[in-house]
Amino acid sequence: MEQHILSLILFTPMAGALVVALLGRDASRLIKTVGLLFSLLALGLSVWLFLLFDGARGDMQCVEIIPWIPTLNVSYNVGIDGISLLLIVLTTFLTPIALLASWESVTARLKGYVALMLLLEAGTLGVFMALDLFLFYVFWEFMLVPMYFIIGIWGGQERIYAAIKFFLYTMAGSLLMLVAIIWLGSYAASLPGGAFTTDLLRLYAIAPGIPMGIQIWMFLAFTLSFAIKVPIFPLHTWLPDAHVQAPTAGSVILAGVLLKMGTYGLIRFCLPLFPYATFRFLPYLAGLGIVGIIYGALVSMVQPDIKKLVAYSSVSHLGFVVLGIFALTEEGMQGSVIQMINHGLSTGALFLLVGMIYDRRHTRLIKDFGGLARPMPVYAAFFMIVMLSSIGLPGLNGFVGEFLILLGSFRSAFLGSPWYAIAASSGVVLAAVYLLWSYQRIFFGKNERPENQALTDLNVREIAVLVPIVLFIVWIGVYPGTFLAKSAASTKQLIHRIEETRRGSYAGAAIEPGHGAQPGDRR
Amino acid sequence: MNPSMRDLSAIAPLLIVAGTGIVAVLADSVVKRGRSLSPVLAVAGLAAAIAFSLPALGDPAASAAFGGMVRTGAFTSYLTLVFCVSGLLSVLLSMSYIDEMIPERGEYYALILFAVSGMILMASAWDLVVFFLGLELMSLSFYILAGFARGRMTSNEAALKYFLLGAFATGFLLYGIALVYGATGSTSLAGFPARTGGLHQPLLLLAGLALLMIGLMFKVGSVPFHMWVPDVYEGAPTTVTAFMSTGGKAAAFSGFLIIFAPPVLIAQPALRDVLAVVAATSMVAGNIIALAQTSVKRMLAYSSIAHAGYILSGVVAANPAGSNGVLFYLMTYTMMNAGAFGVVSLLEKVDGSMLTFDECAGLSRRSPLVAALSAVFMFSLAGVPPLAGFFGKYYVFAGAVEAHYTWLAIVGVLMSVVSAYYYLRLVVVMYFNDNPGGVSPAARPLGLAAVIIAAIALTGFGVFPSILLGLGARCF
């Protein structure tokens, strides 16, 4: 059973979706319970995976390979390293929370909703597990479908526009990646003794030798697709629409997990497959990361709508992750990995909190609130903790990630200038500004409106949804070692490989890819 | 020359389908209740043809029959399967649809069977003349079927347009055959690529092949010979459109695979580049124009032009990956397009008015099953994994990239994004909008069954594409 643990985790939500689909349409309580149970089962399995995982090893673990499409040399090939492990645990952790959060707010077409949430979880897990580019692409695209329906059916006023924009934006980026994947496969076939392959580990060995002129295009095709998903400025315009229009649970998963697929893709594919192109483009990408940090923060500051504020703050936070990745240092990379988790927890929790107040008041405009701390003390306390974690207060999780990223980019030989870190640190200050200011406007001051005075505080279910998140916010803040230890060896190996490539390229022109073979040359 | 037993058994599926067609015509006029008998006969005949073509699927070596005029083997059987599946789906969809629409349905099912025989003849052709024979048999049946809704202006217009333009295209094709004969001294396709090298009159051959290509482009409905597609597909009874756009297209593409086999295309780089441009413009024009349609049927018609472009890129690739991709694509396209038109046939009113997007609004509430099925077809047509439509696109584009036609693949994927917009529009109206006055599906259990079968097959071939790919790989 242990050697099939990944498949078990992957297929548990799929089986859950199937079971839910077979239930009667009106048995809403049963549907919710069954969906929750399956997502908890997946969580339990992934906790087991976490314990099984050997953090001292940097290579792929729990690998399963089953031939799938022999004619194309594609196999069902899954495996994880420390980076994917953390993201898998995050996914399985947030899904039951999201289901529980929408326990009462979603009533229409409940069956489809629960089934789609489980399918979404399965698709996302597949993205983080796939070690075959083709399989990866299948999950990457497949996961669009449930998200599209979740936004389009259960979303807000402008949901249709947001759903279509989300779908087309993402698809436009990823289809170019598909061409690049095919090209890589044929490149592998064109090498002496090679065969068409989309096996990631095999391509790790081959792809860096792609001639520079083409490597750049490959890199750009992959990066475009991931940059849209992250989103990196200026490709972020789908995000505010999708986040604001999605139902609460959709926003939680979207911000908590789906955005990480983009940064994960950068780490898993762009850096190791195209190191030379990475060296060439990293100042620009790190620069765009910083633009995102500052731009996202500034736009957040002026949002009248809390949900939009949180959405734009994602752009800012993900900017940190991008900066950390392209610093190409161990600290930066570790910081990015842990910051992905942090953002999933903090922003997920913020969306939950916004959803809870929206369920009560059916408005999200900051100006409609004020003095909420009095009628809702528990709510205010939770909001405070989560907000401080998002700001990066020492002792909470956000600090760990941002600190490591800033440290890594400050020291980075690739960036070659401390100015990146200095510019990025302004984002920390700006985050404090927009979050504290909005907190002040929502919770302090006079509570003048009668409908605000009559607000009820959180109920048991809502507290149960938030407590686990807050627990991890504190855990990572106080003792991040539990999680960092799992990914340390993997990031170390990745950075080590890149360092070696660079040293090789300094040693002589022979390594700087020159005039290698191209697909089709064998004819 | 008297045909031997071996010859006859080689073309058994063709004989069965054609024979059933003749019986259906006779039954219609001789037996008292023959009219209700003919659809049953059609199903039985097509099913028998499928059964007879299955054994040869595993037979990679093509063998000739009838003195080298036709050939048998995996390629022929595979395509026979595609045609029969297309025919079966259409017959099932037609069963009460045609009754409701045209009381005097007469020879409808016989014509479908004759068209299928024509298609099978095309795919088994080993000589240009036989290919032409099959093409004419198929086209003539189509002309009549397109105009089968006699009382409707659009249907009459469709038939007339299709006939006039189709006859013109046939002229091109025939002239091309004549020129190829003049250049190579034979109409046989056996050893055809070898005979095209070292000719005294290479220009004559080029002209002949170009004319042949024009004829085929017309039949697959690719730009710039696509003008008939929207009007004919929209005007013809929907079940006929489901048949024409799948089986008919597949048969025309079998012509591309047989006549413009990889060696021929590689020896004629000019034609290959022309074909690449045609593929690209078909994808662009089909998809862009489809964006602006309000009628679902017309949208699907334009989208079929775009799909002709996708499939052509597999032909342009001229390598095993591309050819295999074309075969895979043809089968899955048959499933998804027949399914999509099938859904339209279930939803549209029988008075001949066109089904609009607005009428489909809120269908997911009135009929969750039909809405879910349409979503499957739309996502598959848009090429979203893990449905089979995605794999079809993947294979033809993989072939194109491998053949250094990366730009064609890039055009293809970008246009897929455009197509996603209008395919999703149907899903949007069905799931996200509401319209209490919208349509509900007609109660036609057999038609619904056909659509369900197609959707299941699409999912199955998507998750386990090796089933089809393994078959296709034996064909070349």
Side-chain angles (χ1 to χ4, degrees), chain B residues 338-354:
Chain B
F341 278 116
V343 168
V344 173
S345 81
L346 290 175
L347 291 178
E348 72 184 353
K349 302 191 187 80
V350 285
D351 63 3
S353 63
M354 293 306 155

Side-chain angles (χ1 to χ4, degrees), chain B residues 106-132:
Chain B
E107 55 294 330
Y108 180 85
Y109 296 100
L111 283 168
I112 286 192
L113 290 170
F114 290 141
V116 172
S117 335
M119 294 170 192
I120 298 176
L121 198 56
M122 286 163 82
S124 28
W126 210 215
D127 189 291
L128 285 171
V129 173
V130 175
F131 180 78
F132 179 75

Side-chain angles (χ1 to χ4, degrees), chain B residues 311-322:
Chain B
I311 307 176
L312 272 182
S313 22
V315 176
V316 171
N319 51 23

Side-chain angles (χ1 to χ4, degrees), chain A residues 38-291:
Chain A
F38 271 95
S39 70
L40 286 174
L41 182 60
L43 173 62
L45 287 167
S46 73
V47 169
W48 185 29
L49 176 72
F50 188 84
L51 299 174
L52 272 178
F53 187 87
D54 180 2
R57 281 168 55 193
D59 58 338
M60 293 296 167
Q61 303 184 25
C62 308
V63 177
E64 274 176 66
I65 302 179
I66 302 164
W68 180 29
I69 315 174
T71 32
L72 292 169
N73 216 354
V74 170
S75 45
Y76 169 80
N77 183 350
V78 293
I80 55 165
D81 66 358
I83 301 168
S84 21
L85 170 77
L86 293 181
L87 290 166
I88 286 169
V89 176
L90 178 72
T91 309
T92 52
F93 174 71
L94 283 179
T95 304
I97 288 182
L99 279 174
L100 205 57
S102 45
W103 202 257
E104 277 154 21
S105 54
V106 172
T107 47
R109 301 202 240 179
L110 184 74
K111 189 166 110 170
Y113 175 78
V114 174
L116 286 170
M117 285 294 279
L118 290 170
L119 280 183
L120 182 64
E121 181 183 14
T124 323
L125 289 170
V127 166
F128 292 136
M129 289 176 186
L131 288 185
D132 186 292
L133 285 169
F134 188 90
L135 186 69
F136 166 79
Y137 185 83
V138 168
F139 283 121
W140 174 270
E141 282 281 276
F142 167 69
M143 142 271 129
L144 288 180
V145 178
M147 197 67 221
Y148 167 75
F149 280 110
I150 288 173
I151 298 176
I153 298 181
W154 295 275
Q157 287 293 316
E158 299 288 322
R159 59 185 200 279
I160 297 176
Y161 171 76
I164 294 177
K165 194 170 177 182
F166 164 77
F167 196 99
L168 292 184
Y169 234 105
T170 320
M171 193 176 179
S174 46
L175 278 167
L176 286 176
M177 175 169 76
L178 179 65
V179 178
I181 290 174
I182 296 174
W183 198 95
L184 275 178
S186 347
Y187 176 78
S190 71
L191 296 174
F196 187 95
T197 182
T198 44
D199 182 317
L200 184 63
L201 300 184
R202 217 169 293 167
L203 288 173
Y204 273 172
I206 295 170
I210 297 171
M212 192 61 179
I214 293 166
Q215 187 165 145
I216 285 176
W217 290 108
M218 297 282 112
F219 177 83
L220 288 178
F222 273 80
T223 305
L224 177 70
S225 150
F226 299 140
I228 289 176
K229 199 69 148 205
V230 173
I232 294 178
F233 179 89
L235 300 167
H236 64 280
T237 55
W238 64 269
L239 177 129
D241 289 307
H243 270 64
V244 172
Q245 297 307 326
T248 300
S251 305
V252 171
I253 299 293
L254 193 57
V257 184
L258 297 200
L259 303 188
K260 310 308 176 304
M261 289 165 49
T263 42
Y264 170 78
L266 291 173
I267 296 176
R268 174 71 71 240
F269 302 102
C270 288
L271 302 189
L273 285 175
F274 317 110
Y276 294 99
T278 307
F279 298 151
R280 175 161 302 181
F281 285 106
L282 72 89
Y284 306 107
L285 284 160
L288 284 176
I290 288 169
V291 173

